[in-house]
Amino acid sequence: MSKTWGGRFSQGTDAAAERFTASLAFDRRLWPQDVAGSIAWTRALARARVLTDAERDAIVKGLEAVRGELEAGTFSFRPELEDIHTNIERRLVELIGEVGGKLHTGRSRNDQIALDERMYLKDAVTRARDGLRAVQAALVARAGETSAAPMPGYTHLQRAQPIVLAHHLLAYVFMLERDRERLAGCAARADRLPLGAAALAGTAFPIDREALARELGFGGVTSNSLDAVSDRDYVLEYLAAAAITGMHFSRLAADLTLWATAEFGFVEFSDAFATGSSIMPQKKNPDVAELMRGKTGRVFGSLVALLTVVKGQPLYGNLVAVLTTMKGLPLAYNSDMQEDKQPFFDSVDTLEAVLGVLPPLLASLTFRTERMRAAAGEHYATATDLADYLVRKGLPFRQAHEIVGKIVRLALERGVALEALPLDALRGFSPLIEADVLEALTVDASLRARAVTGGTAPAAVARALAEARALLGS
């Protein structure tokens, strides 16, 4: 029989069952981690005097040959061998003979896959954090160009108050910094070596796990063998962090696609990051940004799918319900956990695809700052500044709010802007209003007034920009 566990069985696996249980189609991408872990395990076995030096050297040399075949694309994968671990081990035996069968001494595919996934996750986090830094750099560069460019701020997708474009862009820089921190925390918690936990009870051979951890670049070892092989919280945490990051990207994409409409006219997409219509010759569609927004659904779906599969239920139910019932999977390893890889890898691939396209897209945008400036003062955007003006004159804010509401209603009835109302008409609402009110109602005055830390005043934005640039150097 071709199975590593075949000695117990007298009948071969049903073909449909074999296809159903195999994981090679998706875990084959873990071969770099699997080979590296096997080489380190071989050396650990030799240090424990389980292997002779000659056996160690033969196995390591054989594994390096296997790695060479995998790197060159000449490795022959055998689906009937179920997974990447068995494929590598069987090829090792083919190359060096029976001594290759000693490689698996004292370990299990349970701790082997936990090792491979943790190593893969740490690499994926490094790539994602580097990619996020590149997006932040692109946003900071565009913010540096637009730190004095007014635009409308929105709440409820309605004109609210004037802000500057740099302030809007920097909001995403600080969101992405939290995303980087979440990913770093995920990698830190995954940075414990599970190898040596074996199937569930720990290896029966005197392996120096601490030395093994150092060799494989781990900060420590897992403290409990059951926990080491039975949990996938590190995958869940990555998926949660990726989902939150994807949500931030989706919001950025939503802003850009909205701004690109004729109704807004705030931004022009480069031809290199847009597509046309097969029927309407005039169309220019921001497809790249739209797909970036759409792919977030895949990241969300991967998280919910994994939470659901770990419970062993069909792919339905909401996130809170599944989190509540996670305890339904008993310790230690169960084959349900095999299903973690597809959503995990899909989220990694999706996130990295977005990270690859977003920096050049941001660099290519043309911001129509004159259109933004004109829009910043429209639709009574400085009404709050008029209320603040009255507050500075000693009026309680609630009274000021009501007065300004009535003034806005008058302006609407007359079809004019606030600053176009005659001074005597304004004074009819409050004797506190004087000639200096017109200066308070300008966009520039509105911006200057919000100079608190984190505000949209050009001076405050300059400080935030400096902070963001410092983040890029950290």
Side-chain angles (χ1 to χ4, degrees), residues 3-145:
K3 307 298 185 185
T4 56
W5 39 262
R8 160 69 174 78
F9 293 80
S10 59
Q11 182 180 357
T13 309
D14 176 83
E18 187 168 83
R19 289 191 299 272
F20 184 72
T21 58
S23 62
L24 181 62
F26 39 90
D27 68 19
R28 61 192 291 171
R29 74 162 65 190
L30 294 173
W31 70 258
Q33 293 77 23
D34 202 74
V35 172
S38 291
I39 289 174
W41 183 250
T42 302
R43 291 171 176 154
L45 288 173
R47 287 193 296 270
R49 300 296 181 227
V50 177
L51 296 177
T52 67
D53 290 349
E55 289 172 331
R56 174 201 62 200
D57 294 345
I59 293 174
V60 169
K61 184 177 180 180
L63 287 167
E64 289 172 344
V66 172
R67 178 160 55 194
E69 291 180 1
L70 286 159
E71 289 173 342
T74 60
F75 186 91
S76 181
F77 290 98
R78 295 170 55 185
E80 74 275 9
L81 296 181
E82 300 178 354
D83 54 43
I84 187 62
H85 322 298
T86 310
N87 267 266
I88 288 174
E89 183 180 335
R90 280 302 174 91
R91 181 57 179 151
L92 174 68
V93 173
E94 290 172 0
L95 290 173
I96 68 171
E98 291 184 1
V99 67
K102 293 190 174 186
L103 168 63
H104 206 57
T105 304
R107 74 173 180 179
S108 164
R109 286 184 297 178
N110 296 356
D111 61 347
Q112 199 174 349
I113 187 57
L115 169 72
D116 292 355
E117 282 190 333
R118 286 174 185 250
M119 292 175 68
Y120 181 90
L121 182 145
K122 292 200 298 175
D123 289 342
V125 165
T126 297
R127 294 193 302 271
R129 295 185 79 241
D130 289 346
L132 284 167
R133 189 59 95 216
V135 176
Q136 288 176 300
L139 288 165
V140 167
R142 302 314 306 267
E145 303 166 8

Side-chain angles (χ1 to χ4, degrees), residues 41 44-46 48 50 105-106 195-196 203-210 212:
W41 183 250
L45 288 173
V50 177
T105 304
L195 200 56
T203 185
F205 297 89
I207 298 296
D208 186 341
R209 295 187 67 215
E210 286 73 17
L212 186 57

Side-chain angles (χ1 to χ4, degrees), residues 133-407:
R133 189 59 95 216
V135 176
Q136 288 176 300
L139 288 165
V140 167
R142 302 314 306 267
E145 303 166 8
T146 57
S147 59
M151 68 170 292
Y154 294 84
T155 62
H156 309 280
L157 206 54
Q158 304 295 315
R159 300 272 179 89
Q161 293 176 289
I163 61 172
V164 294
L165 176 54
H167 193 56
H168 194 114
L169 298 176
L170 288 173
Y172 288 105
V173 172
F174 295 112
M175 289 181 201
L176 298 183
E177 187 62 21
R178 294 192 297 276
D179 293 332
R180 294 186 82 250
E181 291 169 359
R182 270 184 285 271
L183 285 164
C186 170
R189 281 177 285 280
D191 194 28
R192 291 293 179 270
L193 176 86
L195 200 56
L200 75 162
T203 185
F205 297 89
I207 298 296
D208 186 341
R209 295 187 67 215
E210 286 73 17
L212 186 57
R214 289 191 294 272
E215 183 172 351
L216 287 171
F218 282 87
V221 302
T222 54
S223 300
N224 183 283
S225 59
L226 290 170
D227 175 43
V229 299
S230 67
D231 208 351
R232 291 294 184 267
D233 57 353
Y234 50 92
V235 175
L236 287 166
E237 190 171 1
Y238 175 90
L239 293 178
I244 294 171
T245 302
M247 176 268 294
H248 289 150
F249 286 154
S250 184
R251 297 186 73 184
L252 175 57
D255 280 335
L256 295 177
T257 54
L258 195 64
W259 293 354
T261 62
E263 287 73 14
F264 277 73
F266 290 173
V267 70
E268 173 81 17
F269 276 77
S270 163
D271 288 357
F273 293 92
T275 63
S277 165
S278 63
I279 188 172
M280 294 171 283
Q282 83 281 11
K283 291 292 297 298
K284 185 176 184 180
N285 301 322
D287 275 11
V288 174
E290 290 175 2
L291 282 170
M292 185 170 71
R293 185 177 59 196
K295 285 183 180 294
T296 302
R298 289 182 64 173
V299 179
F300 288 178
S302 294
L303 174 61
V304 176
L306 176 58
L307 287 168
T308 309
V309 166
V310 169
K311 173 61 179 70
Q313 298 293 329
L315 298 184
Y316 60 80
N318 64 57
L319 181 59
V320 174
V322 175
L323 283 169
T324 305
T325 57
M326 276 279 289
K327 66 182 183 298
L329 195 63
L331 296 183
Y333 183 84
N334 293 267
S335 289
D336 309 51
M337 295 162 62
Q338 179 174 298
E339 294 297 314
D340 66 345
K341 297 169 196 62
Q342 287 175 294
F344 178 32
F345 295 154
D346 186 69
S347 285
V348 170
D349 293 344
T350 302
L351 182 58
E352 291 184 1
V354 174
L355 290 170
V357 75
L358 188 50
L361 183 152
L362 291 169
S364 73
L365 295 172
T366 299
F367 291 112
R368 294 173 174 164
T369 53
E370 290 306 311
R371 168 68 187 125
M372 289 183 175
R373 172 177 279 277
E378 296 172 352
H379 296 278
Y380 312 104
T382 56
T384 304
D385 297 280
L386 179 53
D388 291 342
Y389 170 89
L390 291 171
V391 168
R392 292 188 183 97
K393 297 281 187 173
L395 198 66
F397 177 77
R398 287 302 175 197
Q399 293 181 33
H401 187 287
E402 183 174 355
I403 288 171
V404 174
K406 294 176 179 178
I407 293 173

